C-alpha cells in the first residue's frame, strides 16, 4: 500500500513540478516577435511568446532535448541542449524568403500567366484582347517596346526586325512560328493561346539559357495538367474548330484541330484583291502529358497545311500578279523535367521541325520557288538549388539546320538550287544569388560554336533591388548574337554573327491589382550585314551597325473600378542603322517613334457580357522615296486602330463572340511601294500598302461539352 | 504475494500513465478548440502544431493546423501573410493525408485553399482554380454523399460564381438547404472530428433573405 501511495505521489510530483524553460524571441533587427511557438520536440510542453516576445513554460523532460522555435514568416530554429540550460534564452529568428515576396530580376521581361510578380498579361488577356481573334502575337503587340507592323503582324521589338525574336515552346526553339500569308496580309501565329499556361515575352536582357536572338524571346509553356475530360467546339465565320481533352489519372491528352476557309467571308465582304483560291488551312495540335513520381513528360505536335492563290496589283506591272502558295509544316517536341537528386532538377528535350513551301507566280514573270527546311534542336540542362538564396543552372544545346531553295523560272533554262547546312553547339552557365531579402544578382555566360569554326561568348548580368514592399529597381546587361537572316545566308554563309549589346534599367511598382513599369534601354548593334550588290557574294561584309534607345511605360490597373481592367502602354523608340545597302545611318523602316496602346475589359454581369476594346496608335514609320535625294527621309502617316469585341455567355457552356477590327474605319496606309523604273516624265510612281479590307469582322460560337455540367465556360472568357 | 502486489501496482501505474497520456491528448486538443472558438487563432494553431508532432499517428491535429490557418487567412489583410499561411496550410494538409485522414474532409480543405488563392488574385487565379475547386467538392461528395461540409462548400462556391455571371442561383440555394439538413443529421465519428460549417451555411441563407428584404 505504501508503494502505491509513493507512485501516486511521484506522479503528482512529476506533473506539478519540472524544469522551467523561458526566454525571449527577437528578429534580426532586435525586435520582439509575438506569436512564436516554442516547444520541446516530441512533447506537449510548450508555449507561445507574448507581445514582448517572451515565453515561459515547464517540462518534465530531462537531459538533452531539442527546443523548436517556429513562427510563420520566419525560418524554423532548433536548439539542442540540456533542459537545465534552457533558461533566459535569447533566440534570434531569421526572416524567411517568401517566393511571392522575393526580389526578381524584371528588367526586360514580361510574363503572362503563372508568375504573379511580373505578370502583365494573363492567358485570359491574350484570348480576349479586342482585335486579337485569339492570335497570341497580337496581344503581345499591346505591350510597350513593340511596334505594330500591320502588314506582317509579327513581333518587332525595340527597333529590331522580326527575325531578331525567337519563339520557344517548353524551352525548345520553334523554327517557323508564323504561318505564311500573301504579301502585305498579316500572318498568324501557328499556336493557340489556350494550350499554354505561361507566356513570357522578354524584350531584352534575357537569360544565358537562350541564344540566337538579337532582340527578344517569346517563351510558351504548355499546361501541366488538364482538369477534366471535355470537348470544345467552335464555329466561326472563318472556319471551324474541334478540341478534345481526355484526362487520366497521371496523364492527359489534348487534341485541337482547326479548319479555316476565307471563301464564304470574302463573298460577303469583298477584299481589295481578287482571290482565285481564298486562304484555306487545316491544322492540328496534340499535347500528351504524363506525370511521374518526380517529374513530368510532355509530347507536343503541331501539323498544318495551308494554301491560297490571289491576284495582287504591282506598280511594276500592268496586270495584277497571280501569286500562289502552298505550305506544309510539322513541328514536334518532347521534354522531360524532373527531380533526380536532392534539389537537382534535370530537363531534357528534343525538337524537330519540317517545312515545305512552294510559292509561284503563274502569270507575268512566271517563276516558282520551292523551299524546304528541316531543323533539330537538342537540349539538356541541370539546375541545382543549393538553398533558397543560391541556384546554379547550366546546360548544353545542339542545333542541326538544313534549308534548300530551288528557283525555276522561264528566265533561266535550268532550275537554280541552293542549300545551306548549319550545325551549332552551345553551353551556358548561370547562377542566381540573393542577399538578404531584397537584392538579387544573376550572372551568366553563354558560349556558341558554329560549323564555320566561329565561336562566340556572350555574358549576361542582371541585378535587382527591392525598395520597400511594392517597388523595385533592376538592371540588366548582356551581349547577344545571331546568324544573319536566312535569305542572305543563301548568298553568303561565311559571315560572322550579328551582335547586339543591351543595357536596360527598370523600375517597377507592383501593388495588388496595379502595375507601373518603366524601362529605359540602350541597344547597340554591330556586325550587321552590309552589301553593295545583293546578289554578289563577294560584296558582303559585317560592317553594318546601328543602335536603338528608348523608354517603355506600362500601367495596368484592375482594382480602381470594379469589373474594369485596363492597360496603357507607351513607348518611345529611336532606332537608327546603317546596314544592308543603306548609304548612311537612318531610321529603320519597321519602327515608329511613338507607340501607344490602350486596352480595356469590362464585365457586365447583368448582361452576362465581357466587352473588350483596344486602341493602338503609332506615329508612322520611315520609308524611302527614290524621287528625293536623301535616303529614307520620309515618314508614313500615323497608324490608328480601334477594335471592339463582345463575348456573351449564352449559357455556362456556350459563348457567342463578336469582334470588329478598325471599328471607326481609319484609312491606314502602312507604307508605299515605289516602281523600279522612272515613268515617262522621270518620276518613280508609287502604290499604297494598305490593308486588304478596311474592317475585319469575326463572329463565333464556342461550346464546351463536359461530363461535369457545373463547369463554366466563363473560364475561357 | 508481494510480487503480485507489485505487479498490480505496476499495471495500475501503467494504466494510469496511459490514461493520462490519452487525457493529455484530449485536454490539449480541447484547449486548442477553446482558443479557436475564442478567436485566438494563433494560439490555437500553436497548440495543434505541438499535438501534431507528439501524436504522430493522429490526422486530426495537423488537419486543424491547416484549417485554422485557412480560416485565419480569410480575415487577414496582408497579402504576404496570407501567402505564408497558404503554404503552411498546404504543408499540414499533406501531413494529415499521410496519416490516413478522412479523404472527403481533406478534399474540402483543399477546395478552401484554392478558393483563397482566387480571392487573392481573381483575374489570374479564377480561371486556374475554379475547375479544380468544383472537382474537390464533387469528389468529396462521391466519397461521402452525406458529408454536409462538402455540399455546403460546393453550393456556396456555385452561388458565388453564378451571381458573378448573372446566372440563376435558386437551385444552388436549395442545395444549400439540403446541406443544412445534413448538418443536423451529422454525427461525429470520433472526438474532435471536423464538425464546422453549419453556422456559415445558415449565414449564407440569411444573407440572401436580407438581400431580398432590401429589395
Amino acid at each position: 500500500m505504501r508503494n502505491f501511495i509513493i507512485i501516486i505521489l511521484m506522479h503528482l510530483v512529476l506533473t506539478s513540478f519540472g524544469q522551467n524553460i523561458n526566454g525571449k524571441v527577437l528578429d534580426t533587427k532586435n525586435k520582439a516577435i509575438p506569436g512564436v511557438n516554442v516547444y520541446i520536440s516530441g512533447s506537449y510542453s510548450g508555449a507561445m511568446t507574448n507581445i514582448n516576445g517572451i515565453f515561459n513554460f515547464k517540462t518534465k523532460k530531462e537531459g538533452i532535448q531539442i527546443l523548436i522555435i517556429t513562427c510563420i514568416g520566419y525560418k524554423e530554429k532548433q536548439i539542442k541542449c540540456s533542459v537545465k540550460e534552457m533558461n533566459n534564452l535569447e533566440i534570434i529568428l531569421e526572416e524567411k524568403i517568401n517566393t511571392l515576396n522575393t526580389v526578381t530580376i524584371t528588367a526586360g521581361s514580361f510574363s503572362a500567366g503563372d508568375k504573379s510578380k511580373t505578370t502583365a498579361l494573363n492567358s485570359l488577356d491574350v484570348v480576349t484582347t479586342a482585335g486579337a481573334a485569339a492570335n497570341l502575337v497580337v496581344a503581345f503587340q499591346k505591350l510597350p517596346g513593340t511596334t505594330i507592323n500591320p502588314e506582317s503582324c509579327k513581333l518587332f521589338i525595340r527597333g529590331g526586325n522580326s527575325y531578331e525574336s525567337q519563339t520557344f515552346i517548353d524551352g525548345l526553339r520553334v523554327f517557323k512560328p508564323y504561318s505564311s500569308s500573301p504579301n502585305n496580309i498579316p500572318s498568324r501565329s501557328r499556336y493557340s493561346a489556350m494550350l499554354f499556361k505561361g507566356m513570357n515575352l522578354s524584350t531584352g536582357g534575357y537569360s544565358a539559357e537562350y541564344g540566337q536572338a538579337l532582340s527578344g524571346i517569346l517563351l510558351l509553356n504548355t499546361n501541366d495538367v488538364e482538369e477534366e475530360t471535355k470537348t470544345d467546339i467552335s464555329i466561326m465565320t472563318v472556319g471551324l474548330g474541334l478540341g478534345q481533352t481526355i484526362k487520366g489519372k497521371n496523364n492527359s491528352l489534348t487534341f485541337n484541330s482547326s479548319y479555316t476557309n476565307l471563301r464564304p467571308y470574302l463573298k460577303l465582304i469583298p477584299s481589295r484583291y481578287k482571290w482565285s483560291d481564298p486562304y484555306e488551312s487545316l491544322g492540328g495540335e496534340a499535347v500528351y502529358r504524363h506525370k511521374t513520381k518526380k517529374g513530368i513528360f510532355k509530347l507536343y505536335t503541331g501539323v498544318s497545311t495551308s494554301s491560297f492563290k490571289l491576284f495582287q496589283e504591282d506598280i511594276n506591272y500592268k496586270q495584277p500578279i497571280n501569286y500562289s502558295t502552298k505550305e506544309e509544316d510539322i513541328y514536334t517536341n518532347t521534354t522531360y523535367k524532373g527531380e533526380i537528386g536532392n534539389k537537382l532538377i534535370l530537363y531534357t528535350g528534343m525538337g524537330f521541325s519540317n517545312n515545305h513551301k512552294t510559292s509561284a507566280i503563274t502569270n507575268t514573270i512566271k517563276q516558282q520557288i520551292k523551299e524546304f527546311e528541316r531543323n533539330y534542336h537538342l537540349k539538356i540542362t541541370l539546375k541545382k538549388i543549393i538553398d533558397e538564396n543560391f541556384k546554379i543552372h547550366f546546360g548544353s544545346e545542339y542545333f542541326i539546320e538544313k534549308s534548300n531553295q530551288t528557283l525555276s523560272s522561264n528566265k533561266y533554262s535550268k532550275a537554280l538550287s541552293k542549300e545551306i547546312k548549319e550545325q551549332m553547339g552551345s553551353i551556358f552557365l548561370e547562377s542566381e544569388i540573393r542577399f538578404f531579402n531584397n537584392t538579387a544578382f544573376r550572372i551568366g555566360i553563354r558560349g556558341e560554336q558554329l560549323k564555320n569554326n566561329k565561336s562566340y561568348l556572350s555574358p549576361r548580368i542582371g541585378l535587382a533591388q527591392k525598395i520597400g514592399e511594392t517597388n523595385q529597381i533592376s538592371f540588366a546587361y548582356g551581349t547577344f548574337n545571331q546568324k544573319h537572316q536566312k535569305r542572305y545566308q543563301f548568298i553568303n554563309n561565311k559571315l560572322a554573327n550579328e551582335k547586339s549589346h543591351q543595357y536596360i534599367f527598370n523600375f517597377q511598382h507592383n501593388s495588388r491589382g496595379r502595375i507601373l513599369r518603366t524601362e529605359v534601354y540602350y541597344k547597340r548593334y554591330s556586325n550587321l550585314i552590309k552589301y553593295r550588290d545583293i546578289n554578289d557574294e563577294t560584296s558582303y561584309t559585317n560592317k553594318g551597325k546601328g543602335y536603338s534607345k528608348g523608354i517603355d511605360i506600362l500601367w495596368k490597373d484592375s482594382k480602381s473600378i470594379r469589373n474594369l481592367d485596363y492597360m496603357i502602354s507607351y513607348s518611345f523608340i529611336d532606332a537608327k542603322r546603317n546596314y544592308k545597302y543603306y548609304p548612311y545611318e537612318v531610321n529603320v523602316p519597321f519602327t515608329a517613334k511613338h507607340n501607344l496602346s490602350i486596352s480595356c475589359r469590362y464585365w457586365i454581369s447583368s448582361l452576362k457580357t465581357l466587352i473588350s476594346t483596344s486602341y493602338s496608335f503609332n506615329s508612322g514609320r520611315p520609308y524611302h522615296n527614290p524621287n528625293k535625294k536623301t535616303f529614307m527621309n520620309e515618314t508614313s502617316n500615323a497608324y490608328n486602330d480601334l477594335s471592339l469585341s463582345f463575348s456573351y455567355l449564352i449559357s455556362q457552356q456556350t459563348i457567342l463572340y463578336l469582334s470588329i477590327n478598325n471599328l471607326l474605319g481609319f484609312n491606314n496606309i502602312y507604307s508605299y511601294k515605289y516602281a523600279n523604273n522612272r515613268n515617262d516624265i522621270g518620276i518613280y510612281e508609287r502604290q499604297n500598302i494598305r490593308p486588304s479590307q478596311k474592317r475585319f469582322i469575326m463572329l463565333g460560337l464556342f461550346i464546351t461539352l463536359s461530363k461535369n455540367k457545373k463547369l463554366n465556360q466563363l473560364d475561357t472568357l | 504475494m508481494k510480487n503480485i502486489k507489485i505487479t498490480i501496482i505496476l499495471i495500475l501505474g501503467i494504466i494510469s500513465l496511459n490514461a493520462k497520456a490519452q487525457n493529455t491528448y484530449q485536454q490539449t486538443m480541447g484547449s486548442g478548440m477553446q482558443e479557436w472558438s475564442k478567436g485566438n487563432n494563433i494560439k490555437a494553431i500553436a497548440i495543434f502544431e505541438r499535438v501534431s508532432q507528439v501524436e504522430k499517428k493522429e490526422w486530426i491535429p495537423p488537419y486543424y493546423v491547416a484549417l485554422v490557418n485557412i480560416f485565419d487567412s480569410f480575415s487577414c489583410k496582408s497579402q504576404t501573410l496570407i501567402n505564408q499561411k497558404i503554404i503552411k496550410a498546404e504543408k499540414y494538409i499533406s501531413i494529415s493525408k499521410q496519416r490516413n485522414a478522412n479523404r472527403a474532409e481533406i478534399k474540402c480543405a483543399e477546395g478552401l485553399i484554392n478558393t483563397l488563392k482566387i480571392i487573392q488574385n481573381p483575374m489570374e487565379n479564377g480561371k486556374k482554380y475554379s475547375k479544380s475547386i468544383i472537382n474537390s467538392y464533387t469528389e468529396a461528395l462521391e466519397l461521402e454523399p452525406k458529408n454536409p461540409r462538402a455540399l455546403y462548400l460546393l453550393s456556396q462556391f456555385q452561388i458565388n460564381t453564378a451571381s458573378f455571371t448573372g446566372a440563376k442561383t435558386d437551385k444552388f440555394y436549395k442545395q444549400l438547404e439540403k446541406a443544412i439538413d445534413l448538418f443536423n443529421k451529422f454525427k461525429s465519428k470520433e472526438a474532435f472530428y471536423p464538425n464546422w460549417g453549419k453556422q456559415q451555411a445558415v449565414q449564407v441563407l440569411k444573407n440572401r433573405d436580407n438581400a431580398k428584404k432590401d429589395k
Side-chain angles (χ1 to χ4, degrees):
Chain A
M1 199 57 208
R2 212 177 59 195
N3 286 342
F4 190 70
I5 289 165
I6 288 170
I7 283 182
I8 299 282
L9 278 174
M10 285 274 287
H11 223 140
L12 285 172
V13 168
L14 279 172
T15 36
S16 47
F17 293 90
Q19 190 65 43
N20 200 2
I21 293 176
N22 57 52
K24 196 173 182 183
V25 184
L26 304 163
D27 67 9
T28 45
K29 286 166 196 149
N30 254 343
K31 258 173 70 188
I33 316 175
V36 181
N37 198 6
V38 185
Y39 56 88
I40 292 200
S41 177
S43 88
Y44 279 101
S45 331
M48 198 179 77
T49 58
N50 65 11
I51 195 108
N52 299 316
I54 289 164
F55 63 91
N56 192 347
F57 63 91
K58 280 179 180 153
T59 184
K60 296 171 290 181
K61 292 265 177 182
E62 286 177 334
I64 306 257
Q65 293 292 343
I66 297 168
L67 189 71
I68 295 181
I69 305 102
T70 163
C71 180
I72 208 151
Y74 295 90
K75 282 187 191 165
E76 188 181 292
K77 201 163 190 176
Q78 302 193 349
I79 294 173
K80 197 175 175 182
C81 68
S82 160
V83 174
K84 279 176 194 156
E85 290 166 36
M86 293 180 184
N87 247 320
N88 282 325
L89 291 168
E90 200 176 278
I91 300 158
I92 289 166
L93 286 189
E94 244 179 279
E95 216 181 308
K96 196 191 237 166
I97 291 181
N98 183 317
T99 47
L100 289 163
N101 198 25
T102 43
V103 47
T104 44
I105 297 156
T106 48
S109 92
F110 294 100
S111 93
D114 250 11
K115 286 162 205 142
S116 59
K117 184 90 188 183
T118 50
T119 299
L121 282 180
N122 52 41
S123 33
L124 183 124
D125 295 352
V126 172
V127 183
T128 56
T129 296
N135 185 359
L136 57 93
V137 173
V138 175
F140 281 102
Q141 287 175 346
K142 308 287 175 202
L143 292 175
T146 59
T147 291
I148 298 175
N149 280 225
E151 71 273 30
S152 84
C153 216
K154 296 177 181 175
L155 275 175
F156 290 81
I157 294 169
R158 287 184 174 165
N161 207 331
S162 63
Y163 79 91
E164 294 174 25
S165 308
Q166 301 281 11
T167 307
F168 295 81
I169 291 182
D170 291 329
L172 292 166
R173 184 156 116 203
V174 177
F175 295 86
K176 290 255 174 187
Y178 305 101
S179 63
S180 47
S181 68
N183 294 330
N184 304 325
I185 288 183
S187 58
R188 282 181 67 87
S189 156
R190 286 184 206 275
Y191 310 103
S192 56
M194 295 315 289
L195 282 177
F196 304 105
K197 68 166 177 193
M199 283 168 269
N200 186 309
L201 174 71
S202 183
T203 51
Y206 35 90
S207 140
E209 188 182 344
Y210 305 99
Q212 290 297 309
L214 287 179
S215 281
I217 51 171
L218 179 60
L219 305 176
L220 307 171
N221 292 318
T222 51
N223 293 325
D224 284 344
V225 280
E226 286 296 331
E227 291 293 345
E228 42 138 21
T229 295
K230 62 172 183 183
T231 309
D232 292 301
I233 302 167
S234 46
I235 305 161
M236 291 160 286
T237 43
V238 294
L240 303 165
L242 186 67
Q244 175 72 42
T245 300
I246 301 157
K247 186 196 169 204
K249 195 162 178 258
N250 289 316
N251 50 23
S252 65
L253 182 64
T254 308
F255 286 109
N256 242 344
S257 60
S258 66
Y259 173 71
T260 309
N261 190 334
L262 287 179
R263 190 180 293 271
Y265 183 78
L266 290 167
K267 279 221 163 116
L268 273 169
I269 302 163
S271 141
R272 188 180 308 284
Y273 310 123
K274 194 183 140 215
W275 296 76
S276 40
D277 271 323
Y279 183 84
E280 189 179 3
S281 88
L282 182 64
E285 286 171 290
V287 192
Y288 173 76
R289 315 160 190 88
H290 185 91
K291 271 200 165 168
T292 60
K293 214 168 177 190
K294 287 191 156 176
I296 184 161
F297 168 84
K298 286 180 187 173
L299 177 67
Y300 173 90
T301 306
V303 183
S304 67
T305 76
S306 57
S307 66
F308 53 84
K309 205 168 174 182
L310 82 167
F311 290 90
Q312 281 183 309
E313 273 148 28
D314 190 302
I315 189 81
N316 291 310
Y317 296 93
K318 283 209 175 78
Q319 64 187 117
I321 299 179
N322 192 358
Y323 291 98
S324 77
T325 299
K326 252 199 173 117
E327 190 188 22
E328 280 166 27
D329 184 80
I330 299 172
Y331 176 73
T332 176
N333 80 34
T334 147
T335 58
Y336 174 79
K337 193 178 178 181
E339 200 172 342
I340 52 164
N342 184 25
K343 293 192 170 172
L344 184 65
I345 295 152
L346 169 77
Y347 163 91
T348 61
M350 192 188 118
F352 166 76
S353 110
N354 198 70
N355 183 289
H356 279 279
K357 185 178 165 185
T358 308
S359 27
I361 297 174
T362 50
N363 59 357
T364 59
I365 54 170
K366 284 207 176 135
Q367 66 168 31
Q368 191 192 46
I369 300 171
K370 277 194 170 172
E371 288 164 282
F372 168 68
E373 255 191 57
R374 178 172 288 166
N375 306 299
Y376 299 87
H377 180 189
L378 303 156
K379 186 170 172 179
I380 180 163
T381 76
L382 276 172
K383 191 179 214 169
K384 175 76 184 167
I385 301 163
I386 291 165
D387 65 30
E388 50 198 350
N389 290 327
F390 189 33
K391 284 174 205 149
I392 294 182
H393 192 196
F394 60 95
S396 175
E397 283 178 294
Y398 201 77
F399 290 89
I400 304 170
E401 295 175 49
K402 185 179 146 184
S403 323
N404 64 49
Q405 209 180 54
T406 309
L407 170 77
S408 30
S409 149
N410 53 5
K411 258 208 279 188
Y412 313 104
S413 54
K414 242 170 64 186
L416 296 175
S417 192
K418 284 170 185 165
E419 185 171 77
I420 39 175
K421 281 182 180 167
E422 185 58 79
Q423 288 184 33
M424 188 190 92
S426 75
I427 46 167
F428 76 90
L429 172 68
E430 195 159 63
S431 72
E432 207 176 306
I433 307 155
R434 282 205 185 100
F435 306 102
F436 314 111
N437 220 350
N438 53 15
T439 311
F441 182 60
R442 187 177 72 200
I443 182 159
I445 190 147
R446 180 180 176 85
E448 286 174 352
Q449 166 92 40
L450 272 75
K451 213 179 120 199
N452 60 12
N453 266 331
K454 289 199 164 79
S455 55
Y456 303 89
L457 222 52
S458 320
R460 317 268 165 99
I461 295 168
L463 187 67
Q465 171 73 46
K466 260 186 80 160
I467 309 164
E469 189 61 8
T470 52
N471 300 330
Q472 79 164 39
I473 49 171
S474 46
F475 169 77
Y477 163 79
T479 70
F480 303 82
N481 73 78
Q482 183 175 12
K483 236 182 126 61
H484 49 287
Q485 228 176 329
K486 218 142 226 172
R487 52 183 295 207
Y488 303 112
Q489 285 178 37
F490 277 113
I491 301 161
N492 186 330
N493 199 21
K494 293 188 188 88
L495 295 171
N497 281 0
E498 299 183 314
K499 230 175 163 179
S500 75
H501 289 259
Q502 298 180 9
Y503 305 82
I504 301 163
F505 183 78
N506 164 299
F507 169 80
Q508 185 157 316
H509 166 83
N510 193 341
S511 61
R512 212 166 166 173
R514 289 192 191 108
I515 296 171
L516 172 69
R517 186 179 179 284
T518 320
E519 205 157 282
V520 185
Y521 63 89
Y522 177 74
K523 175 158 67 170
R524 186 161 53 84
Y525 286 97
S526 56
N527 274 13
L528 298 176
I529 59 156
K530 184 108 185 97
Y531 53 79
R532 275 188 316 277
D533 174 2
I534 188 165
N535 292 314
D536 177 8
E537 187 184 347
T538 56
S539 77
Y540 278 71
T541 65
N542 270 120
K543 286 184 180 153
K545 59 185 182 196
Y547 72 85
S548 81
K549 59 184 186 213
I551 182 162
D552 294 348
I553 298 165
L554 174 83
W555 169 250
K556 197 178 183 226
D557 180 359
S558 53
K559 198 186 174 190
S560 304
I561 303 163
R562 202 178 131 84
N563 290 341
L564 177 80
D565 192 355
Y566 70 94
M567 180 172 97
I568 301 170
S569 91
Y570 167 78
S571 43
F572 169 78
I573 310 175
D574 173 21
K576 285 196 171 75
R577 272 181 201 197
N578 176 4
Y579 79 138
K580 298 208 289 194
Y581 57 92
Y582 292 11
Y584 43 80
E585 197 170 73
V586 290
N587 290 317
V588 289
F590 37 81
T591 300
K593 270 218 153 71
H594 304 278
N595 302 270
L596 174 75
S597 138
I598 302 168
S599 43
C600 322
R601 265 171 292 273
Y602 186 64
W603 168 250
I604 307 170
S605 167
S606 57
L607 295 174
K608 295 195 269 180
T609 302
L610 181 82
I611 299 179
S612 161
T613 65
S614 78
Y615 170 69
S616 300
F617 163 86
N618 72 46
S619 58
R621 292 177 285 138
Y623 66 91
H624 176 57
N625 180 350
N627 296 310
K628 297 274 169 71
K629 275 184 184 157
T630 47
F631 182 72
M632 199 80 75
N633 202 20
E634 303 207 4
T635 307
S636 65
N637 290 335
Y639 166 80
N640 283 287
D641 176 79
L642 181 73
S643 296
L644 188 63
S645 80
F646 299 92
S647 311
Y648 170 63
L649 208 64
I650 297 176
S651 75
Q652 300 221 330
Q653 309 262 316
T654 317
I655 296 176
L656 185 69
Y657 176 81
L658 172 70
S659 149
I660 307 159
N661 284 35
N662 195 11
L663 182 73
L664 303 179
F666 292 110
N667 266 319
N668 286 315
I669 296 172
Y670 305 149
S671 189
Y672 304 95
K673 181 172 181 177
Y674 281 86
N676 294 338
N677 301 305
R678 292 174 203 268
N679 66 7
D680 303 339
I681 49 164
I683 287 173
Y684 292 97
E685 284 180 51
R686 71 177 185 186
Q687 84 186 95
N688 298 338
I689 298 177
R690 284 191 290 177
S692 69
Q693 286 167 315
K694 200 177 234 176
R695 296 184 181 86
F696 187 77
I697 300 163
M698 191 177 112
L699 187 66
L701 189 67
F702 302 97
I703 304 160
T704 297
L705 302 172
S706 69
K707 228 170 52 184
N708 190 349
K709 288 240 166 59
K710 285 153 196 151
L711 282 174
N712 212 322
Q713 258 284 26
L714 191 73
D715 307 332
T716 53
L717 259 188
Chain B
M1 197 58 198
K2 205 179 175 187
N3 279 345
I4 293 170
K5 238 186 199 170
I6 289 171
T7 318
I8 290 171
I9 287 164
L10 275 175
I11 289 170
L12 276 174
I14 288 164
I15 290 171
S16 101
L17 273 172
N18 224 343
K20 196 172 153 348
Q22 199 54 39
N23 256 336
T24 323
Y25 174 66
Q26 304 275 357
Q27 262 173 24
T28 323
M29 282 302 286
S31 71
M33 299 300 271
Q34 211 173 6
E35 293 294 346
W36 185 30
S37 67
K38 278 194 261 173
N40 299 332
N41 293 348
I42 308 292
K43 205 164 187 179
I45 292 166
I47 292 169
F48 294 134
E49 228 178 308
R50 270 179 251 145
V51 181
S52 176
Q53 53 93 41
V54 182
E55 310 293 343
K56 291 209 160 98
K57 280 179 187 157
E58 299 284 347
W59 67 271
I60 286 178
Y63 167 84
Y64 278 105
V65 175
L67 192 73
V68 182
N69 266 301
I70 293 167
F71 281 134
D72 202 43
S73 302
F74 278 106
S75 55
C76 182
K77 287 218 169 81
S78 152
Q79 199 174 4
T80 323
L81 202 57
I82 295 175
N83 288 325
Q84 286 164 340
K85 283 179 184 292
I86 288 176
I87 293 166
K88 188 158 184 179
E90 281 172 335
K91 181 181 152 192
Y92 275 86
I93 282 295
S94 81
I95 294 175
S96 188
K97 257 186 188 169
Q98 284 162 14
R99 300 180 184 176
N100 289 325
N102 178 294
R103 278 171 52 215
E105 297 296 344
I106 292 290
K107 291 266 173 217
C108 289
E110 285 172 339
L112 277 174
I113 290 176
N114 285 336
T115 311
L116 264 176
K117 290 180 185 169
I118 292 188
I119 294 171
Q120 284 276 82
N121 190 350
M123 291 305 272
E124 180 70 18
N125 290 342
K127 172 186 151 51
K128 213 163 125 191
Y129 293 112
S130 58
K131 276 181 191 167
S132 81
I133 291 171
I134 299 249
N135 283 351
S136 295
Y137 299 146
T138 43
E139 278 164 31
L141 283 169
E142 273 164 28
L143 290 164
E144 277 180 18
K146 288 189 174 162
N147 188 307
R149 269 165 299 284
L151 194 63
Y152 146 63
L153 290 169
L154 178 68
S155 314
Q156 189 181 33
F157 191 75
Q158 284 168 332
I159 288 166
N160 289 342
T161 13
S163 38
F164 180 72
T165 60
K168 281 190 177 156
T169 51
D170 300 1
K171 63 175 176 196
F172 302 130
Y173 277 109
K174 273 208 183 109
Q175 198 177 283
L176 184 70
E177 279 163 13
K178 207 180 136 199
I180 292 171
D181 215 39
L182 289 178
F183 272 117
N184 291 333
K185 287 178 190 156
F186 182 75
K187 277 194 189 96
S188 194
K189 292 177 194 168
E190 54 184 293
F192 308 114
Y193 192 87
N195 192 9
W196 56 271
K198 191 183 166 183
Q199 270 182 326
Q200 291 98 319
V202 171
Q203 191 58 45
V204 175
L205 276 186
K206 264 189 198 161
N207 289 347
R208 177 194 59 172
D209 297 341
N210 288 342
K212 270 186 187 167
K213 266 181 219 161
D214 288 348
K215 274 182 185 173

